[in-house]
């Protein structure tokens, strides 16, 4: 400091005093003055920055002068064995250390005093987070309950904004203190104080967001209902935490250390946020190593999609140089989640394949497994883009499908399309096995008709048709119509056999045998009543299929019955107990056929009309 170095002395009566000695004397005098001032500030228990701004500026000016004096003292070319110089240097460092300790206290005080509370309104999910949680269990895919997967908005929108984590009025003072500590080479102490406080602030933020610290063992021991809720919360929390709180934390760090190096800002932010972000990643990793069950797939798929959507945000926040461990952990969690998802997709096939039963489904209706699988697949295609990527990675030998044939052709030949075809094929094989539990051939076909028809309807009414394709739909439409035809033959051919002409006319006679006619009518009545009794208990949930099958049966039965009655009923005119044989008018039979397939057993005791 030139201000503290006097002019060079000239020769005279007195011994010459060197410039270095005169400079040291001036520095010593000035240090003593500044030490007294700093001690007077230090003796006051109140915080300097709680007083007026002018007082804080004076303190910083005094500290800066001590720093400069100490640096100048070190630059003077004095004898290395000058003990006075060493004492003076030590004194300067002691004053500076005392001032730095006080600045650190003031720095911490400002960070705490002006820290802004975590506001729930920044949690854009808060109003819906406690809504009913879809568990994606077996029962949740029953019948028409699931129309599509409920998915969070992955758009960046309102969740991505900066909030003041520390009140803006304190930023200027925090910045000045940080700069002074760095100039005095107390950068490590400054950064440690900042990191320690802001780590605690982020921990408090996670606490307000109700993110628990859970070990892998804790997660693995959880029942699915509890874990399902926690995963749903995690999906919301990580998005808000990264796009609101970490973005804001990065902004705060950049403001306070703005005039310092980029590496300082990066390092402070990474060290501040590392433990909190890794806590969130650890939960994802724990979930990923859990058991692979189809019921869990959709919630874990939410985790994978959510974290994938945040990759760009995370990479922007954490520079590769000092944030490599966080980026590596993020990609590791994504990898483990993807492996879990691929394993779960295979597990779904195994579950369908190994689903067994010793008891046939009453009424031959739609089996719960069919409902579960088809509704599951309908929801699955909502995530076709990401699943296509996962399934393509699983089978790298498969050539990429071409889009030349249009979107439908492309999806039909995609990895997702192939997977869906595999699953439906396995389901059909299982249903074929289940149909063998029925003793009656008619009920075997009836059961298969119901279930294949359900599969076709679910495909037609959803995006599954784009993946399975028109050929699949045509093939399975033919299948359920074939099963319907086989059912009709197995059920009604025996009934209609009593309305045939063969064997009614006695050889050499010009009139039919009344005895045979009576037997035919009587056997027809018994056969029809038995089918009625049994098949009113059978069920066809599909209204259109139920009506179509009734019409088809009516056309065959009523036409045959009307023809038979027209030809032979008059031969029984005047016969004793005629009504025992010709019990039903065609309109009675038509009315009876409307009772079929309602799932409630009925019995015909007498004709409905006379």
């Amino acid at each position: 400091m030139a201000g503290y170095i006097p002019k060079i002395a000239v020769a005279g009566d007195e011994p010459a005093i060197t410039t270095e000695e005169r400079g040291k004397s001036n520095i010593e005098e000035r240090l003593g003055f500044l030490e007294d001032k700093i001690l007077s500030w230090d003796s006051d228990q109140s915080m300097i920055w709680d007083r007026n701004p002018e007082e804080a500026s004076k303190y910083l000016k005094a500290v800066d002068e001590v720093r400069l004096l100490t640096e100048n003292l070190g630059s003077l070319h004095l004898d290395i064995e000058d003990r006075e110089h060493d004492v003076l240097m030590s004194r300067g460092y002691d004053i500076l250390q005392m001032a730095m300790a006080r600045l650190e206290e003031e720095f911490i005080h400002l960070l705490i005093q002006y820290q802004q509370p975590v506001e729930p309104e920044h949690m854009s999910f808060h109003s819906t987070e406690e809504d009913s949680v879809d568990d994606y269990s077996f029962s949740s895919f029953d019948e028409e309950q699931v129309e599509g997967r409920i998915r969070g908005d992955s758009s960046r929108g309102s969740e991505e904004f900066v909030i003041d984590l520390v009140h803006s009025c304190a930023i200027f003072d925090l910045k000045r203190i940080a700069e002074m500590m760095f100039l005095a080479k107390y950068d490590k102490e400054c950064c440690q104080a900042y990191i320690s406080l802001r780590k605690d602030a982020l921990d408090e933020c996670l606490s307000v967001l109700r993110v628990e610290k859970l070990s892998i063992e804790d997660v693995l021991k959880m029942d699915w209902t509890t874990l399902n809720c926690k995963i749903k919360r995690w999906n919301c929390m990580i998005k808000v935490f990264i796009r609101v709180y970490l973005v804001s934390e990065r902004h705060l760090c950049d403001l306070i250390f703005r005039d310092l190096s980029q590496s300082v800002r990066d390092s402070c932010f990474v060290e501040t946020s590392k433990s909190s972000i890794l806590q969130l990643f650890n939960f994802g990793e724990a979930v990923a190593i859990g058991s692979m069950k189809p019921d869990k797939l959709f919630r874990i798929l939410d985790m994978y999609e959510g974290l994938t959507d945040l990759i760009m945000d995370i990479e922007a926040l954490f520079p590769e140089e000092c944030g490599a461990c966080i980026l590596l952990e993020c990609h590791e969690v994504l990898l483990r989640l993807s492996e879990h998802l691929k394993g779960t997709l295979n597990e779904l096939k195994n579950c369908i394949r190994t689903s067994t039963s010793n008891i046939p489904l009453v009424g031959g209706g739609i089996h719960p497994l069919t409902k579960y699988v088809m509704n599951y697949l309908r929801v699955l295609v909502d995530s076709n883009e990401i699943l296509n990527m996962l399934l393509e990675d699983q089978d790298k030998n498969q050539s990429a499908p071409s889009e030349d044939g249009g979107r439908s052709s492309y999806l039909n030949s995609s990895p997702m399309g192939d997977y869906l075809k595999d699953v439906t094929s396995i389901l059909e094989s299982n249903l074929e096995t289940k149909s063998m539990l029925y003793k009656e051939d008619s009920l075997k076909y009836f059961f298969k008709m119901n279930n294949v028809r359900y599969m076709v309807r679910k495909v037609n009414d959803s995006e599954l048709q784009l993946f399975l394709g028109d050929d699949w739909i045509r093939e399975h439409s033919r299948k359920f119509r074939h099963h319907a035809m086989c059912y009709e033959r197995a059920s009604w051919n025996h009934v209609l056999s009593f309305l045939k002409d063969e064997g009614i006319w006695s050889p050499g006679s010009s009139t039919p045998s009344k005895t045979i006619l009576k037997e035919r009518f009587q056997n027809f009545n018994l056969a029809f009543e038995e089918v009625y009794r049994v098949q009113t208990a059978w069920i066809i949930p599909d209204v259109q299929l139920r009506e179509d099958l009734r019409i088809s049966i009516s056309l065959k039965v009523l036409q045959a019955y009307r023809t038979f009655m027209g030809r032979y009923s008059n031969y029984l005119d005047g016969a004793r107990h005629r009504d025992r044989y010709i019990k039903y008018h065609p309109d009675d039979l038509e009315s009876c056929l409307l009772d079929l397939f309602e799932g409630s057993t009925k019995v015909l005791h007498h004709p409905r009309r006379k």
Side-chain angles (χ1 to χ4, degrees):
M1 287 178 60
Y4 298 112
I5 303 177
K7 293 180 181 179
I8 299 175
V10 295
D13 296 334
E14 298 295 325
I17 300 175
T18 65
T19 301
E20 287 84 355
E21 289 173 337
R22 185 64 61 87
K24 183 177 73 172
S25 176
N26 288 340
I27 290 174
E28 183 176 11
E29 182 181 340
R30 189 62 183 170
L31 272 178
F33 171 75
L34 292 171
E35 183 178 22
D36 290 340
K37 287 190 70 175
I38 288 173
L39 282 170
S40 68
W41 268 308
D42 209 44
S43 63
D44 191 335
Q45 296 302 311
S46 65
M47 304 304 291
I48 298 171
W49 265 261
D50 283 348
R51 306 170 202 173
N52 57 68
E54 189 177 339
E55 191 80 3
S57 295
K58 287 179 180 179
Y59 186 80
L60 281 176
K61 186 175 180 181
V63 173
D64 193 39
E65 192 173 350
V66 172
R67 178 185 67 83
L68 291 170
L69 286 170
T70 306
E71 286 180 3
N72 273 282
L73 188 60
S75 67
L76 291 175
H77 302 293
L78 299 170
D79 191 320
I80 195 167
E81 296 181 357
D82 189 339
R83 293 179 61 84
E84 290 182 13
H85 174 266
D86 292 342
V87 170
L88 191 56
M89 281 286 291
S90 178
R91 183 182 178 190
Y93 284 130
D94 287 345
I95 298 170
L96 195 60
Q97 185 175 8
M98 177 175 61
M100 289 298 111
R102 181 59 184 259
L103 282 180
E104 184 178 340
E105 288 179 18
E106 297 286 341
F107 188 71
I108 291 171
H109 172 69
L110 287 174
L111 282 173
I112 294 173
Q113 184 178 16
Y114 291 98
Q115 179 177 315
Q116 299 293 85
V118 176
E119 299 292 346
E121 56 262 28
H122 299 312
M123 307 174 206
S124 60
F125 60 86
H126 188 75
S127 61
T128 58
E129 190 274 329
E130 296 297 341
D131 289 348
S132 59
V133 177
D134 305 301
D135 61 0
Y136 298 114
S137 63
F138 190 92
S139 60
S140 72
F141 287 95
D142 190 22
E143 197 51 48
E144 306 300 331
Q145 292 176 6
V146 176
E147 290 302 325
R149 179 167 156 223
I150 300 171
R151 303 174 67 184
D153 181 14
S154 62
S155 63
R156 308 175 78 80
S158 62
E159 288 186 353
E160 200 176 52
F161 56 88
V162 175
I163 59 176
D164 288 333
L165 298 177
V166 171
H167 199 285
S168 57
C169 69
I171 298 299
F172 176 72
D173 291 325
L174 287 165
K175 180 173 172 292
R176 287 201 298 169
I177 294 173
E179 287 173 359
M180 181 57 65
M181 293 184 74
F182 269 73
L183 283 172
K185 297 182 173 57
Y186 278 77
D187 49 316
K188 185 179 293 185
E189 288 79 1
C190 180
C191 289
Q192 284 177 345
Y194 179 85
I195 290 166
S196 177
L197 276 171
R198 294 311 305 165
K199 277 177 70 174
D200 290 344
L202 286 178
D203 285 344
E204 181 187 343
C205 173
L206 288 179
S207 178
V208 172
L209 294 171
R210 289 187 286 168
V211 175
E212 304 172 62
K213 286 188 177 180
L214 298 167
S215 67
I216 290 177
E217 290 75 16
D218 292 334
V219 174
L220 295 178
K221 288 177 184 177
M222 282 183 191
D223 62 87
W224 173 234
T225 302
T226 302
L227 183 57
N228 187 29
C229 292
K230 291 191 182 299
I231 292 175
K232 185 175 183 182
R233 177 176 291 280
W234 185 91
N235 289 334
C236 296
M237 301 303 170
I238 193 169
K239 188 183 298 183
V240 174
F241 186 72
I242 290 173
R243 289 186 174 168
V244 178
Y245 291 101
L246 286 193
V247 167
S248 300
E249 189 65 49
R250 176 82 223 202
H251 179 67
L252 174 65
C253 189
D254 288 343
L255 284 176
I256 293 175
F257 302 108
R258 181 171 56 192
D259 293 335
L260 304 173
S261 69
Q262 182 68 46
S263 63
V264 167
R265 299 197 296 274
D266 290 344
S267 177
C268 282
F269 172 72
V270 169
E271 291 303 314
T272 297
S273 56
K274 182 162 63 176
S275 64
S276 56
I277 193 67
L278 289 180
Q279 180 183 335
L280 289 168
F281 288 163
N282 287 343
F283 178 79
E285 186 175 353
V287 170
I289 64 176
S291 59
M292 298 176 186
K293 295 182 179 178
D295 291 352
K296 297 181 180 181
L297 183 136
F298 293 103
R299 191 59 72 210
I300 296 174
L301 190 55
D302 287 339
M303 293 183 79
Y304 183 83
E305 288 182 315
L307 192 53
T308 300
D309 187 54
L310 289 168
I311 280 290
M312 290 180 63
D313 302 81
I314 295 168
E315 289 177 344
L317 284 169
F318 297 98
E320 202 167 323
E321 293 76 16
C322 55
C325 65
I326 293 172
L327 297 175
L328 181 65
E329 182 64 20
C330 179
H331 286 287
E332 184 67 24
V333 172
L334 275 175
L335 178 62
R336 293 196 177 192
L337 286 172
S338 70
E339 293 299 324
H340 186 104
L341 290 169
K342 286 185 277 189
T344 305
L345 289 171
N346 286 328
E347 183 60 23
L348 175 64
K349 291 182 182 180
N350 293 333
C351 288
I352 299 169
R353 193 178 287 114
T354 58
S355 172
T356 58
S357 175
N358 295 322
I359 304 172
L361 183 69
V362 175
I366 300 165
H367 199 279
L369 180 66
T370 310
K371 295 178 184 179
Y372 177 83
V373 172
M374 295 311 298
N375 282 305
Y376 192 102
L377 297 184
R378 286 184 68 186
V379 180
L380 201 62
V381 294
D382 288 346
S383 301
N384 68 82
E385 290 184 9
I386 207 151
L387 289 173
N388 254 328
M389 180 185 69
L390 292 175
L391 291 167
E392 193 167 30
D393 288 344
Q394 194 172 18
D395 186 7
K396 297 204 180 234
N397 295 323
Q398 180 178 331
S399 58
S402 170
E403 287 196 66
D404 294 343
R407 180 168 181 257
S408 177
S409 175
Y410 170 75
L411 294 176
N412 184 20
S413 58
S414 67
M416 185 68 173
D418 292 339
Y419 175 80
L420 294 171
K421 288 169 189 171
D422 284 347
V423 173
T424 54
S425 176
I426 294 169
L427 175 60
E428 283 183 76
S429 297
N430 187 287
L431 292 172
E432 182 67 34
T433 302
K434 285 179 167 50
S435 72
M436 303 306 291
L437 297 172
Y438 296 105
K439 294 180 180 179
E440 307 92 335
D441 286 344
S442 57
L443 192 48
K444 290 178 185 177
Y445 292 120
F446 186 85
F447 172 77
K448 290 190 284 187
M449 171 198 70
N450 260 326
N451 283 270
V452 176
R453 166 66 175 177
Y454 182 85
M455 292 171 69
V456 171
R457 185 166 64 84
K458 285 295 178 180
V459 171
N460 272 324
D461 293 346
S462 69
E463 286 200 353
L464 283 171
Q465 61 181 306
L466 298 175
F467 293 89
L468 292 173
D470 294 337
D471 289 343
W472 187 97
I473 293 172
R474 281 192 292 269
E475 177 190 349
H476 287 77
S477 294
R478 284 195 296 269
K479 280 186 179 181
F480 89 76
R481 283 195 291 268
H482 173 74
H483 294 322
M485 181 180 67
C486 291
Y487 149 76
E488 287 188 37
R489 288 174 178 170
S491 287
W492 295 98
N493 278 5
H494 173 65
V495 178
L496 296 177
S497 68
F498 298 112
L499 302 180
K500 292 181 178 179
D501 293 332
E502 290 85 352
I504 291 179
W505 297 83
S506 301
S509 173
S510 60
T511 60
S513 168
K514 289 186 178 182
T515 300
I516 295 175
L517 282 176
K518 289 178 183 179
E519 288 178 359
R520 290 292 186 88
F521 275 108
Q522 196 169 33
N523 288 334
F524 171 82
N525 295 336
L526 292 172
F528 182 86
E529 288 165 5
E530 178 61 15
V531 170
Y532 178 88
R533 181 188 67 80
V534 171
Q535 297 193 15
T536 50
W538 295 3
I539 187 167
I540 301 179
D542 188 309
V543 175
Q544 187 62 52
L545 177 60
R546 186 166 64 238
E547 292 303 315
D548 289 347
L549 194 58
R550 284 171 177 170
I551 290 170
S552 178
I553 294 168
S554 294
L555 288 174
K556 294 178 176 64
V557 173
L558 296 181
Q559 181 179 350
Y561 190 71
R562 285 193 179 102
T563 300
F564 194 78
M565 277 192 66
R567 289 177 181 171
Y568 303 113
S569 62
N570 61 316
Y571 290 106
L572 296 181
D573 289 343
R576 188 179 180 188
H577 305 303
R578 182 179 184 273
D579 288 345
R580 291 183 183 177
Y581 310 111
I582 306 178
K583 291 173 65 174
Y584 302 104
H585 187 276
D587 291 345
D588 296 323
L589 297 181
E590 186 174 15
S591 178
C592 289
L593 291 172
L594 294 176
D595 293 335
L596 297 180
F597 319 132
E598 294 286 353
S600 178
T601 303
K602 296 182 180 179
V603 178
L604 284 174
H605 295 290
H606 51 76
R608 304 182 184 195
R609 294 176 51 175
K610 296 292 183 184

